[in-house]
Amino acid sequence: MEHHHHHDGDAGHVHAHPLQGDMADGPRRPSREELAHINGWGADLDRKNRPAILMERTPARFIHPHEGKLPQQPENVEILVSTERPGITPIFGTVQPPKGLSGMIRRLAFKWSENDMRRWLLLLAADRVNVVEGVGEDLVHGKVPNVLAEMGIKAEWEHNRAGLVKKAVLTGAVLGAAVYLMRRRPR
Amino acid sequence: MLAMNYRGPYRVRADYKPDPEIEHPGDAIVRVLRSCICGSDLHLYHGMVPDTRVGHTFGHEFVGEVVDVGRDVQTLKAGDRVLVPFNLFCGSCFFCQRELFGNCHNTNPEATAVGAIYGYSHTAGGYDGGQAEYVRVPMADVGPLPIPDDLHLDDAVLLTDAVPTGYQAAEMGDIQEGDTVVIFGAGPVGIFAAKSAWLMGAGRVIVVDEVEYRLEFVKRYAQCEVVNFREVNDMAEHIKKMTDWMGADVTIDCVGGDAAGSIAQTLTGRLMKMQAGASTVLHWAINCVRKGGNVSIVGVYGPTFNMVPMGNVLNKGLTIRANQASVKRHLPRLIEHIREGRLNPKEIITHRVPLEEVADAYHIFSSKLDNCIKTVLIPPSAREVQAVNATALH
């Protein structure tokens, strides 16, 4: 698609714009014959075959909804509830209820709506505190967590040995430098 | 029972915890036969999802056998094999009645910004997931689908999320015959989005990623073109050049907040958490699509905010569609595609790992070692069942 033109008043000088084009017809579309080798091509070209068209569809298909009001799940553990949906839902998860310092932070976070950054930042902070609590819990139960195994060091050794060695050398160098600097300071 | 146990960012292990119990008359307890690690599990694994509590069991892609049901359950009984959509939904609320099963209002008390998802933090409802021997499955008459006899368990487990999410991603792109579709991400969802784009009559399908073995895989598996973004100077300019300087008709984000490709985005989104994940792919999707084009988003971002070129959305007249896949509504059609040989999901499984080795499985998947595309975890009790009844298990 090469295109040359002259500007008036700039006689004799030619600007070349090899990529300029009017694009009136848009890009070329491959023909059905050209696409025939693609497995399944066009099977859902007809919108009737696309299950999520329209985005919303009533009544819902493929499910067996409960008749009448959903029974309420009993609340046997502490559940934190969004301020944007007051009250407990009929069904909810009960695993890992809030506890300890991280639980206190989570309870505080849930005082704000989901629209408020403080809620999410506090929850992320609680998550980090919870990690330290998790190590503490392990130790209380007489278990020293094998952090390297939990991070998949066996797989790293099997599939990325050079990378592991590099990381170990770098970590050693940084730790060595830190120890050296800390020892120097008292002088 | 044995279950995956989250201990902190990049730290998981297999541990024993109490078996789940019936807590609501609509519950079932399912013995897990297969569970997958999903790309979105990596957002949890990397510590990016707020309210991910230590001790949580991840896993929202699983199939299994019903071992117990609550008193209200009518359609399932012990011994039934089911595939369980990753969305946990009631079937009755305003949203479920509109087939927005991923947006249920009755199963997640902790947030309205997201529906309930198995094993996906307390922000998604606080339910343990299926990377375990047993799992509590609420609203058992509504969510799970009995697995047809002719459907392989490996295909069934991929129908719980990866296949329908990829399919809905393409569907939300509203693809017209001959359209050029650019898909960001060559992970399982991106792979199935590419396959689905062809089903919907695309004229060109281009998949973008940085991991060469994944690009090679999707090029062969989905018969598409590929671009390694590490090898191009500027993504928008490159896609424009590939499309006669128009831009793609449809762009699809199958990556989310863990995206690479921009130092500034990685720094602010992934390391400093100043935005809800790196918005690199959102940026590319908006700037690579043509004027009047469609942007479809299934990549997962956090609940706060991301920096995106919103002015370009307005000025180019773009349509953006996004949602968690409404899995259940897609299943009948997707099973037809599998039966007809148009889709063969199980071919993307590269790793089968005992649940006991879950820490290594996560590391391999997260660090993209050993040419990993999709990992399936097999619990010890499922292996015993397999040994006794290998043929029935396929």
Side-chain angles (χ1 to χ4, degrees):
Chain A
M1 207 177 292
E2 201 154 315
H3 189 79
H4 297 273
H5 66 148
H6 293 274
H7 290 270
D8 288 338
D10 193 14
H13 184 78
V14 178
H15 291 288
H17 299 289
L19 295 170
Q20 192 179 64
D22 56 17
M23 301 302 299
D25 299 326
R28 196 187 75 82
R29 309 269 182 195
S31 66
R32 289 191 175 189
E33 290 69 35
E34 287 172 285
L35 295 163
H37 68 288
I38 306 282
N39 178 25
W41 184 87
D44 289 348
L45 189 56
D46 186 341
R47 260 129 235 278
K48 285 204 303 288
N49 291 334
R50 300 184 188 182
I53 301 282
L54 307 165
M55 286 285 278
E56 298 187 9
R57 187 195 289 254
T58 304
R61 302 159 297 169
F62 319 131
I63 57 168
H64 304 276
H66 189 275
E67 284 177 21
K69 194 173 160 62
L70 287 173
Q72 178 62 50
Q73 180 180 334
E75 200 174 339
N76 298 323
V77 296
E78 181 183 359
I79 304 294
L80 299 175
V81 173
S82 169
T83 60
E84 294 182 38
R85 194 202 181 291
I88 191 77
T89 48
I91 302 139
F92 49 86
T94 54
V95 298
Q96 300 97 40
K99 61 180 180 179
L101 178 60
S102 65
M104 290 166 67
I105 302 170
R106 293 189 207 284
R107 285 183 202 105
L108 181 65
F110 270 76
K111 291 188 188 306
W112 282 289
S113 82
E114 296 164 57
N115 186 43
D116 196 311
M117 273 295 285
R118 285 172 288 189
R119 169 194 163 104
W120 301 109
L121 292 176
L122 278 171
L123 285 174
L124 279 174
D127 291 348
R128 300 300 172 261
V129 170
N130 198 195
V131 170
V132 179
E133 290 172 334
V135 174
E137 266 176 35
D138 274 346
L139 295 174
V140 165
H141 289 101
K143 180 184 176 84
V144 179
N146 186 344
V147 172
L148 291 177
E150 289 170 354
M151 295 179 79
I153 195 169
K154 185 166 144 272
E156 183 78 0
W157 177 251
E158 278 174 18
H159 303 295
N160 188 25
R161 203 163 294 181
L164 179 62
V165 169
K166 198 171 148 191
K167 273 182 244 173
V169 169
L170 271 173
T171 309
V174 170
L175 285 176
V179 169
Y180 174 74
L181 288 172
M182 282 167 72
R183 284 196 174 160
R184 275 185 60 194
R185 197 166 289 166
R187 267 197 301 148
Chain B
M1 68 165 179
L2 195 69
M4 175 272 185
N5 184 322
Y6 171 75
R7 307 310 299 170
Y10 296 90
R11 284 180 52 215
V12 300
R13 67 187 184 218
D15 234 341
Y16 286 92
K17 67 194 316 184
D19 289 355
E21 294 176 358
I22 301 279
E23 297 185 49
H24 181 275
D27 286 358
I29 303 297
V30 169
R31 176 169 53 193
V32 177
L33 296 173
R34 306 264 197 292
S35 64
C36 294
I37 302 177
C38 174
S40 51
D41 285 330
L42 297 182
H43 307 309
L44 297 166
Y45 180 67
H46 296 157
M48 293 174 75
V49 180
D51 216 355
T52 303
R53 300 180 191 173
V54 167
H56 200 53
T57 295
F58 302 168
H60 53 269
E61 300 183 355
F62 60 93
V63 293
E65 186 176 286
V66 176
V67 293
D68 196 7
V69 294
R71 65 171 187 273
D72 281 2
V73 177
Q74 294 178 0
T75 60
L76 293 181
K77 59 183 187 312
D80 287 347
R81 289 206 169 148
V82 288
L83 74 88
V84 182
F86 76 88
N87 339 96
L88 206 153
F89 58 102
C90 75
S92 306
C93 70
F94 177 89
F95 302 101
C96 286
Q97 274 305 305
R98 280 156 183 75
E99 288 195 358
L100 298 174
F101 302 133
N103 309 105
C104 176
H105 210 50
N106 274 338
T107 45
N108 181 6
E110 282 153 287
T112 58
V114 59
I117 300 172
Y118 290 95
Y120 211 78
S121 83
H122 277 67
T123 294
Y127 299 88
D128 268 345
Q131 289 166 10
E133 290 187 281
Y134 296 92
V135 61
R136 174 191 168 213
V137 173
M139 298 312 294
D141 280 333
V142 178
L145 179 85
I147 300 174
D149 288 340
D150 62 337
L151 188 66
H152 196 291
L153 281 183
D154 287 346
D155 285 329
V157 77
L158 289 164
L159 284 173
T160 60
D161 179 355
V163 183
T165 297
Y167 185 89
Q168 185 169 322
E171 201 178 25
M172 290 190 298
D174 198 15
I175 295 166
Q176 314 280 329
E177 181 169 355
D179 274 357
T180 295
V181 181
V182 172
I183 294 159
F184 296 98
V189 170
I191 290 169
F192 291 123
K195 289 287 283 187
S196 304
W198 288 130
L199 294 176
M200 291 170 202
R204 285 180 79 182
V205 178
I206 302 165
V207 176
V208 179
D209 203 296
E210 63 169 332
V211 182
E212 203 52 49
Y213 79 82
R214 288 192 163 189
L215 290 171
E216 281 303 313
F217 183 90
V218 73
K219 189 160 89 178
R220 180 175 51 78
Y221 182 83
Q223 299 168 274
C224 60
E225 300 166 65
V226 295
V227 173
N228 186 329
F229 67 75
R230 296 286 176 201
E231 292 170 3
V232 305
N233 183 42
D234 180 271
M235 184 49 64
E237 195 177 280
H238 189 78
I239 295 296
K240 297 273 173 67
K241 190 174 175 184
M242 286 182 80
T243 53
D244 294 337
W245 300 99
M246 291 288 273
D249 300 290
V250 177
T251 53
I252 303 178
D253 173 1
C254 296
V255 180
D258 258 323
S262 158
I263 292 169
Q265 293 280 359
T266 299
L267 202 63
T268 56
R270 290 167 60 190
L271 300 177
M272 297 166 74
K273 311 273 191 283
M274 288 168 65
Q275 48 172 336
S279 45
T280 315
V281 170
L282 291 174
H283 208 96
W284 287 347
I286 290 166
N287 288 345
C288 292
V289 77
R290 69 165 168 81
K291 295 167 196 170
N294 297 329
V295 176
S296 166
I297 305 166
V298 292
V300 172
Y301 295 88
T304 51
F305 56 82
N306 285 88
M307 293 186 279
V308 295
M310 207 63 206
N312 297 358
V313 175
L314 168 73
N315 293 322
K316 291 172 74 172
L318 305 185
T319 300
I320 298 181
R321 291 196 187 88
N323 207 346
Q324 296 281 358
S326 192
V327 173
K328 190 89 187 242
R329 70 193 290 181
H330 295 289
L331 292 176
R333 182 62 179 158
L334 292 175
I335 290 171
E336 278 177 36
H337 284 317
I338 291 170
R339 285 182 175 141
E340 296 297 322
R342 293 189 281 260
L343 287 176
N344 191 351
K346 63 181 177 296
E347 279 188 6
I348 75 157
I349 295 172
T350 52
H351 289 68
R352 289 165 206 279
V353 181
L355 179 60
E356 295 89 322
E357 295 172 24
V358 67
D360 293 314
Y362 263 88
H363 182 68
I364 287 171
F365 190 58
S366 170
S367 298
K368 300 178 180 61
L369 304 177
D370 198 28
N371 290 348
C372 180
I373 304 278
K374 191 69 175 175
T375 301
V376 174
L377 297 167
I378 317 279
S381 47
R383 297 202 294 277
E384 285 160 22
V385 173
Q386 267 179 316
V388 174
N389 195 7
T391 49
L393 262 173
H394 302 284

